[in-house]
Structure formats: C-alpha cells, structure tokens
C-alpha cells in the first residue's frame, strides 16, 4: 500500500505540472481525481468546469452538488468513492474536450485506474462513456444505447463493471433527464454494488469452509 501511495503522489504531481496538450495554457490549475485509492468504486466525469479549475478538485460546482445527492440516493458516501475526469484541465468556455486532448490525457486516467483497481466504474455522460468503452474495446454507439446498462470490462489487467449514465450537468440544463439519472443511481448502480457485496460475502464463507 505504501508503494501505491507513493505512485499516486507521483501521478498527482505529474498531472499538476502537465503540458501535454493545449488545455494547459488556459487552465488556472490542473484537477487530478479525488478520493481514497483503496476504494472499489470510481466515478468518471468529462472535464473540470469553472469552480473545479479554481479549487483544484473535481465536481465541486453545481454539477457536483447534484452528484452528491445522486451518491446519497445510491447509498454511497462521497468520501468512500474516487471521483475523476477524462481530462484534467478545464476546456475554455467549458467546451467539450477534443479527441487529441482526451488522447493526450488518457494515460493519467489509466494510471489512476491501475492503482485503484476498481470493481465498478460509473461513467458520467457521453465523453466519459465513450472513452471508457473504447479503453475496454467495446464499440460505442451512443449514450441512449449505453445508458443504464452494466457491461463487463477488461483493460490493462483490470476487470470491472461499467455503467454509463447521463452527466449531472445535463440534468441541470434538462430537468427531464433528472428522474432517469436518479433511477440509474437508485436501481442500476445501487443494485450492482449490492450484487458485488453479496459475491464478496459468499466467497468469504466458502473460503472459511475450505
Ligand atoms: N463536470 C465534470 O465533468 N467534471 C467536473 O469535475 C465538474 C463538472
Ligand atoms: Fe495534461 Fe491532461 Fe491537462 Fe492536457 S488536459 S495539459 S494532457 S493534464
């Protein structure tokens, strides 16, 4: 675990001084992921917004407030999950990150995931969903096809369940999406966690019998 913490600190410092894509020129500061690295659950958003760029932490603005509520609905505490973004620097005017920026930044997401080795990843929105599908070699069609489905993923010695849902910011602009987003957290995400916990318990019992 100590070696892991050291690697993680190295990763954070690499992100903070990164100049690998043009987004470094307009940022106030880069925003690494946040949360415990010994968790089993990782949430991945798109890119830092204005508040995140100012404070250096992911999901601390309006979308973050809604995300806190959604986590609560799924029975999760924010302090128990790791939250990060596909790109670590804010795109100007909050535009979507471009393919070259996503590609340049992808190694940081890979490093976060290989240190944490999550069992469940929740991708928030199209950019995160597409990026994670492609990392796992799954064909991305569109968010309406992917949304609310649990898929098994393998990439770089990692194995995890992946769920794509809407981005919380989308529900702020379009309140119709909010109930579907809430349903994904209440049903699919909570259910996936319950199932995983159950498997863990079963395994422990069987180990005990042997
Ligand atoms: N939206 C994101 O995708 N990420 C953040 O950190 C904040 C808003
Ligand atoms: Fe580096 Fe990623 Fe920031 Fe681009 S977005 S400068 S690749 S940390």
């Amino acid at each position: 675990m100590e070696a892991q913490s050291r690697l993680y600190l190295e990763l954070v410092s690499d992100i903070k001084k990164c100049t690998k894509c043009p987004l470094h020129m307009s940022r106030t500061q880069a925003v690494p992921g946040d949360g415990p690295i010994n968790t089993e659950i990782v949430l991945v958003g798109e890119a830092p917004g204005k508040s995140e760029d100012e404070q250096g932490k992911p999901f601390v603005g309006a979308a973050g407030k809604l995300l806190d509520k959604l986590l609560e609905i799924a029975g999760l505490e924010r302090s128990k999950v790791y939250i990060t973004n596909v790109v670590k620097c804010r795109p100007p005017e909050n535009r979507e990150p471009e393919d070259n920026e996503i590609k340049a930044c992808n190694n940081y997401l890979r490093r976060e995931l290989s240190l944490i080795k999550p069992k469940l990843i929740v991708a928030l929105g199209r950019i995160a969903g597409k990026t994670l599908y492609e990392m796992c070699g799954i064909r991305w069609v569109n968010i309406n096809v992917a949304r609310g489905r649990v898929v098994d993923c393998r990439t770089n010695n990692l194995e995890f369940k992946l769920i794509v849902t809407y981005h919380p910011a989308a529900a702020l602009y379009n309140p119709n999406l909010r109930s579907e987003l809430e349903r994904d957290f209440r049903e699919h995400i909570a259910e996936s966690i319950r199932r995983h916990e159950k498997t863990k318990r079963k395994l422990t019992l069987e180990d005990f019998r042997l």
Side-chain angles (χ1 to χ4, degrees):
M1 198 62 215
E2 252 174 53
Q4 245 171 316
S5 307
R6 192 163 32 79
L7 285 173
Y8 185 71
L9 290 178
E10 237 169 74
L11 170 57
V12 168
S13 119
D14 289 350
I15 292 171
K16 286 190 173 163
K17 54 176 193 271
C18 179
T19 56
K20 283 198 294 180
C21 89
L23 293 182
H24 82 274
M25 291 186 283
S26 48
R27 74 183 178 211
T28 307
Q29 56 189 316
V31 181
D34 181 50
I37 59 166
N38 64 348
T39 181
E40 298 194 314
I41 303 166
V42 170
L43 285 95
V44 183
E46 179 176 314
K50 188 168 188 290
S51 317
E52 292 76 22
D53 174 72
E54 284 165 4
Q55 295 178 45
K57 280 195 173 191
F59 284 98
V60 289
K65 294 256 151 57
L66 178 52
L67 182 60
D68 288 346
K69 288 197 189 116
L70 294 164
L71 288 171
E72 204 182 311
I73 287 174
L76 290 169
E77 274 175 55
R78 181 166 172 145
S79 62
K80 302 252 165 74
V81 299
Y82 186 86
I83 304 180
T84 191
N85 283 301
V86 167
V87 298
K88 314 305 187 201
C89 302
R90 181 193 184 201
E93 320 291 334
N94 293 352
R95 65 157 169 78
E96 277 188 359
E98 291 169 4
D99 286 346
N100 62 313
E101 295 157 354
I102 294 172
K103 211 166 150 198
C105 212
N106 194 246
N107 191 251
Y108 297 127
L109 181 59
R110 284 185 186 277
R111 283 167 67 187
E112 287 174 303
L113 299 183
S114 65
L115 283 171
I116 296 169
K117 298 191 172 52
K119 293 285 178 276
L120 173 68
I121 298 185
V122 179
L124 302 166
R126 184 176 65 82
I127 297 280
K130 182 169 186 282
T131 302
L132 281 150
Y133 264 50
E134 287 174 354
M135 283 168 74
C136 299
I138 306 172
R139 195 170 70 94
W140 175 261
V141 181
N142 60 48
I143 185 132
N144 296 320
V145 170
R147 199 210 118 230
R149 275 204 201 164
V150 185
V151 294
D152 287 303
C153 274
R154 272 164 202 248
T155 175
N156 301 51
N157 294 328
L158 298 174
E159 249 188 279
F160 53 86
K161 304 267 181 209
L162 172 62
I163 302 181
V164 181
T165 184
Y166 295 125
H167 193 290
L172 294 176
Y173 295 115
N174 180 356
N176 296 331
L177 296 184
R178 178 149 174 171
S179 56
E180 292 183 66
L181 190 55
E182 286 183 2
R183 188 152 49 101
D184 283 348
F185 273 81
R186 187 181 313 110
E187 293 173 13
H188 303 294
I189 295 167
E191 176 58 26
S192 184
I193 294 165
R194 267 197 301 275
R195 228 180 269 147
H196 175 62
E197 294 296 327
K198 228 163 136 185
T199 324
K200 273 203 302 193
R201 269 202 302 279
K202 252 194 232 149
L203 270 177
T204 325
L205 268 177
E206 269 157 25
D207 286 348
F208 187 67
R209 251 178 250 135
L210 288 173

